[in-house]
Amino acid sequence: MKILVPVKRVVDYNVKIRVKPDQTGVDLANVKMSMNPFCEIAVEEAVRLQEAGTATEIIVVSVGPAQAQETIRTALAMGADRGILVKTDDELEPLGIAKVLKAVVEAESPDLVILGKQAIDGDNNQTGQMLAALLGWSQGTFASELGIEGDKINVTREIDGGLQSVKLAMPAIITTDLRLNEPRYASLPNIMKAKKKPIDEKELAEYGVDAAPRLEIVKVAEPAEREAGVKVETVGELVDKLKNEAGVI
Amino acid sequence: MNTLLIAEHNNETLADATVKAVTAAAQMGGECHVLVAGSGCAAVADQAAKLEGVAKVLLADDAQYEKQLAEPMAALVVAMADGYATIASPASTNGKNFMPRIAALLDCSQISDITAVIDANTFERPIYAGNAIQTVKVTEAKKAVTIRATAFQAAGDGGSAGVEAAGAADNPGLSEFVNEELTKSDRPELTSAKVVVSGGRGMQSGENFPMLEKVADKLGAAVGASRAAVDAGFVPNDYQVGQTGKVVAPELYIAVGISGAIQHLAGMKDSKVIVAINKDEEAPIFQVADYGLVADLFTAVPELEEELGKAGL
């Protein structure tokens, strides 16, 4: 079974981001970039399926700037076999990315595509579902457990009230939630080995897909700051303030 | 141009998130039509019809919609999407699941998790876990939108919309519901509770959560947790408040033994009044708390329960 894992290069999750003073976006100059955490979980799951003998090949794809190659190398060091970088300096929207990924899927014919449920920059939570729609495939979103059974895949999903299990026809799209697994750190020998694994560089134009941005970003602003309130000395004082000052109990 | 709002419900009761989403939909101009897709869900359609601002309710009552799986839901909505400028739903896990599938099939953009409607085509939404607010404008005729319900007031009663039957679409037959394990609780649901009491890593173990539950019961509150508490296995994942869990905005949020990581703040900082109880006075949670109590939670929480009792709760 062949697995395709799309990954995204984003601002590292530990970085406290700053909004640009002209409100055109978030300042990305000299900021540490990493693989989106949900994408790491997707790579880890694919590698585990390969270690279990279920998967035979893992292909990692990223759509982004030349530096996204580093993100692909990280995935190769975790255990993926080869990479595809679709180069573009434009910030594509989820629907545009899904259209590019559809073209990649058609060229590679994977049985399963595993993606992060959302990227921690745009927080859109759209790409996987859109790709499933464009391909006419089933979708198992927010997965916390996978089980392959012949030509079906059982997916346990994190839903608002608890957990839901669904059985999907394959090929399928899976998007990962936090509890699916804990991604490994790549070992030094594997990092060295990853340097020799192939990454196929493509230009976005080669796919002949219209992925031009369709939304207008009017502005990006700082959220309203919440001011720190007062410290109370005792529980009694707290209850008194909640009752008589804030009026919330 | 009209909005088609897909209702969140459990086939018996309309979710509070839908009642709030109606308010957002009304701000987008045109009529708001609510689609109730489910199985044996006629009572839900009647509830939706009574909401102020709803012009029409469409009822798709068919076994294939019982769990609102994405594949049949998308087929249904796409078949009825003509004539609507906006396809909307609450940003629940259901809405997040089916809406992008609908958007892609309609070849339109989706604006996720909107927190304000500026005009019919312009919206505010949080990005970077709420550390920035993006204003986005749609320039095309059609769009999909998911609505962060906690950012909107509930629509009033007093409507009297008609309910029309909507035919089912062909099921693509790609997915099948197997089962569900829902957390059973007599307390209110986290995202719609007026008061939320949450515990963090400072709780030390799941066995200490009943202490919070006693306080919650005095206040009619829901119980939540930080990601640290969930990752440590104290409570199930559906307790989680934060960027990767649920977003809440109650009247009163009490954070107990929670340090206040950005991740957690993203899920609760729109609460009206925030109380923090933590023994570390440097904890970042105090920077957003209206009332902070620097104390050992194992003495403060039982005392809080007692004081609430004395206050007549």
Side-chain angles (χ1 to χ4, degrees):
Chain A
M1 192 176 73
K2 203 164 158 182
I3 303 180
L4 182 75
V5 185
V7 295
K8 186 174 184 186
R9 178 180 184 263
V10 297
V11 172
D12 186 88
Y13 75 100
N14 281 314
V15 171
K16 173 113 177 73
I17 58 111
R18 285 187 319 272
V19 170
K20 288 185 192 167
D22 65 0
Q23 297 199 324
T24 55
V26 166
D27 194 353
L28 299 180
N30 304 316
V31 167
K32 186 184 178 201
M33 305 292 280
S34 298
M35 192 192 302
N36 177 47
F38 290 105
C39 301
E40 281 188 329
I41 296 173
V43 174
E44 175 66 33
E45 195 63 18
V47 173
R48 288 187 189 191
L49 286 169
Q50 192 166 45
E51 286 168 348
T54 311
T56 49
E57 189 183 23
I58 303 168
I59 307 150
V60 174
V61 56
S62 192
V63 183
Q67 298 92 316
Q69 208 189 88
E70 297 159 20
T71 314
I72 295 174
R73 287 277 173 223
T74 306
L76 297 177
M78 288 173 74
D81 297 299
R82 62 185 170 94
I84 302 169
L85 171 60
V86 182
K87 275 199 286 186
T88 172
D89 288 324
D90 291 336
E91 263 196 54
L92 302 195
E93 291 161 5
L95 185 56
I97 297 278
K99 288 180 179 178
V100 177
L101 294 177
K102 175 177 184 257
V104 174
V105 167
E106 284 167 349
E108 296 287 346
S109 311
D111 303 286
L112 207 56
V113 180
I114 310 181
L115 314 79
K117 74 166 179 179
Q118 72 192 69
I120 59 167
D121 49 4
D123 285 338
N124 283 304
N125 194 335
Q126 299 176 12
T127 304
Q129 297 90 314
M130 287 180 159
L131 178 60
L134 298 177
L135 290 166
W137 290 10
S138 60
Q139 64 185 61
T141 52
F142 327 141
S144 63
E145 204 181 332
L146 301 182
I148 291 166
E149 207 185 289
D151 59 350
K152 299 275 166 101
I153 182 164
N154 290 308
V155 184
T156 305
R157 307 179 52 236
E158 303 268 358
I159 60 168
D160 284 336
L163 296 173
Q164 180 187 70
S165 299
V166 291
K167 191 189 276 286
L168 306 177
M170 292 222 277
I173 303 289
I174 304 297
T175 78
T176 63
D177 217 318
L178 279 175
R179 292 197 305 170
L180 184 59
N181 60 49
E182 274 188 44
R184 70 195 65 196
Y185 290 102
S187 66
L188 191 58
N190 285 339
I191 292 171
M192 300 310 288
K193 245 193 272 175
K195 290 187 178 166
K196 297 204 185 81
K197 291 182 181 175
I199 297 180
D200 194 5
E201 289 200 13
K202 304 267 195 189
E203 295 296 329
L204 178 59
E206 290 177 48
Y207 288 95
V209 167
D210 177 14
R214 292 160 64 167
L215 296 169
E216 185 187 326
I217 306 301
V218 180
K219 66 172 183 181
V220 174
E222 299 268 1
E225 279 289 320
R226 221 190 145 97
E227 298 204 356
V230 297
K231 290 260 168 64
V232 293
E233 295 302 320
T234 65
V235 173
E237 188 187 346
L238 174 65
V239 171
D240 176 62
K241 292 224 187 259
L242 289 178
K243 196 172 171 125
N244 301 316
E245 191 175 276
V248 287
I249 60 171
Chain B
M1 281 290 278
N2 300 338
T3 297
L4 180 66
L5 175 67
I6 307 166
E8 173 84 14
H9 62 85
N10 62 2
N11 294 309
E12 290 168 9
T13 315
L14 189 68
D16 181 62
T18 310
V19 179
K20 291 176 173 165
V22 165
T23 302
Q27 293 171 8
M28 296 177 204
E31 291 183 356
C32 172
H33 299 176
V34 175
L35 168 63
V36 175
S39 179
C41 56
V44 178
D46 293 338
Q47 292 160 35
K50 293 195 180 76
L51 293 177
E52 207 174 313
V54 174
K56 182 158 80 175
V57 177
L58 298 158
L59 172 62
D61 195 338
D62 192 287
Q64 63 171 310
Y65 305 124
E66 187 185 354
K67 298 296 173 185
Q68 299 207 336
L69 298 189
E71 297 83 357
M73 282 296 287
L76 171 70
V77 175
V78 167
M80 60 200 295
D82 274 358
Y84 290 104
T86 310
I87 312 292
S89 81
S92 57
T93 46
N94 276 337
K96 287 175 177 175
N97 185 33
F98 57 62
M99 191 59 84
R101 191 173 180 104
I102 294 166
L105 291 173
L106 296 171
D107 195 30
C108 71
S109 299
Q110 175 175 320
I111 323 299
S112 296
D113 235 355
I114 63 160
T115 50
V117 178
I118 308 297
D119 62 43
N121 293 305
T122 314
F123 308 96
E124 281 184 8
R125 57 179 300 267
I127 55 174
Y128 289 90
N131 287 300
I133 306 296
Q134 185 183 53
T135 305
V136 191
K137 186 172 180 182
V138 185
T139 53
E140 295 171 318
K142 218 179 201 64
K143 61 188 171 293
V145 172
T146 61
I147 298 161
R148 180 174 289 192
T150 53
F152 297 90
Q153 299 290 327
D157 289 334
S160 56
V163 178
E164 289 176 19
D170 285 341
N171 190 335
L174 296 164
S175 55
E176 195 185 316
F177 171 79
V178 179
N179 64 42
E180 228 165 37
E181 288 169 45
L182 300 182
T183 306
K184 294 256 179 290
S185 171
D186 296 332
R187 294 189 190 89
E189 201 263 322
L190 254 180
T191 54
S192 56
K194 288 199 162 47
V195 182
V196 173
V197 182
S198 285
R201 202 199 304 268
M203 295 300 293
Q204 292 180 6
S205 105
E207 284 156 23
N208 294 323
F209 266 74
M211 195 165 78
L212 292 189
E213 289 163 6
K214 284 184 196 160
V215 171
D217 289 343
K218 285 250 188 300
L219 294 166
V223 176
S226 69
R227 182 171 159 194
V230 170
D231 284 352
F234 299 171
V235 286
N237 190 48
D238 48 298
Y239 278 54
Q240 192 190 140
V241 172
Q243 180 192 12
T244 49
K246 297 196 171 82
V247 176
V248 302
E251 298 278 305
L252 172 61
Y253 188 89
I254 303 181
V256 180
I258 292 178
S259 64
I262 293 175
Q263 210 285 129
H264 186 72
L265 301 185
M268 46 64 82
K269 68 184 162 67
D270 293 327
S271 306
K272 194 171 154 226
V273 174
I274 297 174
V275 170
I277 300 176
N278 202 303
K279 66 179 176 193
D280 173 12
E281 62 179 319
E282 301 296 322
I285 190 77
F286 288 120
Q287 289 164 23
V288 300
D290 299 282
Y291 301 107
L293 176 64
V294 181
D296 181 354
L297 68 93
F298 293 101
T299 52
V301 172
E303 208 182 317
L304 177 59
E305 189 206 340
E306 199 186 311
E307 288 288 334
L308 289 171
K310 280 192 214 159
L313 293 164

